[in-house]
Amino acid sequence: MGDTVNLRQARKRRDREAARQAADANAARHGRPKAERDQQRAEDARETRQHQAHRRERSEDDAE
């Protein structure tokens, strides 16, 4: 004879697992740790400053 299964507990377990999978999918799609986001922002700012530093000024002769 089979084991007795509490349907309420089985339903809650199933719902918890579904919510956990949805949360993991959202975290993989949208979430990044704060340290990683800060590092990316700092790197982007550094690249922008470096790019701006290499720009040439337009002289009056170039304008014509």
Side-chain angles (χ1 to χ4, degrees):
M1 192 161 161
D3 293 332
T4 303
V5 176
N6 186 327
L7 296 178
R8 178 180 50 83
Q9 289 177 346
R11 188 170 32 254
K12 284 184 177 185
R13 189 179 312 118
R14 180 196 64 209
D15 293 344
R16 263 188 250 116
E17 182 60 32
R20 187 176 299 119
Q21 287 179 354
D24 289 343
N26 285 337
R29 192 172 333 131
H30 299 290
R32 287 190 333 198
K34 183 175 181 179
E36 188 177 314
R37 288 192 310 261
D38 290 345
Q39 181 181 5
Q40 184 65 43
R41 283 189 198 116
E43 186 176 314
D44 290 346
R46 183 186 60 80
E47 288 175 358
T48 301
R49 281 193 313 271
Q50 189 175 20
H51 181 70
Q52 293 294 327
H54 285 91
R55 291 187 72 166
R56 289 191 203 175
E57 295 292 323
R58 291 189 79 173
S59 66
E60 293 176 16
D61 295 334
D62 291 340
E64 295 175 2

